[in-house]
Amino acid sequence: MTQRLSFTKYENEYVPSFRQKINEAESTEDVKKFFAYTVRELLESIFGGKLKIHYEDVALKPNSDPNFFLSERLLSSDSFKSVWENSDLPQVVGRLAKSAIRRYRRLEKHKEKTDAKIRM
């Protein structure tokens, strides 16, 4: 029986500030940016600086499945790949993406409010 790692503790540390950031987001681009920054910080915290995570390594992809993108550089790293395949990390990142997508869709539907805020 293989041991499965859990990163829910890390997720619980980041979720409150992440929700606050995406709720304050004024555009869909803000949502994408906050998602990428939060996941990057989460991964850096999990790997304790042993794996350098770049901004372009993570992205929110609202019109695809899954709703997020991880770079080939990350996915080909042995240490990352091992953790990704033997933990709940895909589910943690998936839950963050799901929250971000909900906010993204809401902002997308109400684009006129977003545009009005930007013009002020």
Side-chain angles (χ1 to χ4, degrees), residues 32-119:
K32 288 179 176 182
K33 179 178 67 174
F34 294 142
F35 172 79
Y37 281 128
T38 301
V39 172
R40 193 178 110 223
E41 289 174 12
L42 173 75
L43 294 175
E44 285 178 348
S45 178
I46 288 170
F47 288 96
K50 295 176 184 169
L51 184 62
K52 183 67 179 151
I53 314 294
H54 302 286
Y55 180 78
E56 58 274 359
D57 286 333
V58 179
L60 186 67
K61 296 292 184 182
N63 300 316
S64 66
D65 188 33
N67 296 119
F68 60 90
F69 161 82
L70 297 175
S71 72
E72 191 59 40
R73 186 185 75 80
L74 273 183
L75 295 172
S76 64
S77 163
D78 290 336
S79 57
F80 181 83
K81 189 176 180 179
S82 174
V83 169
W84 187 257
E85 292 174 353
N86 297 304
S87 71
D88 64 349
L89 191 54
Q91 290 80 20
V92 168
V93 174
R95 286 190 292 267
L96 292 173
K98 191 174 182 180
S99 292
I101 292 296
R102 280 195 298 269
R103 179 65 175 158
Y104 181 95
R105 300 256 189 262
R106 181 164 171 73
L107 288 170
E108 202 172 44
K109 285 181 185 176
H110 302 288
K111 203 164 189 74
E112 67 284 349
K113 288 182 183 177
T114 301
D115 291 341
K117 285 182 183 178
I118 291 172
R119 287 191 201 121

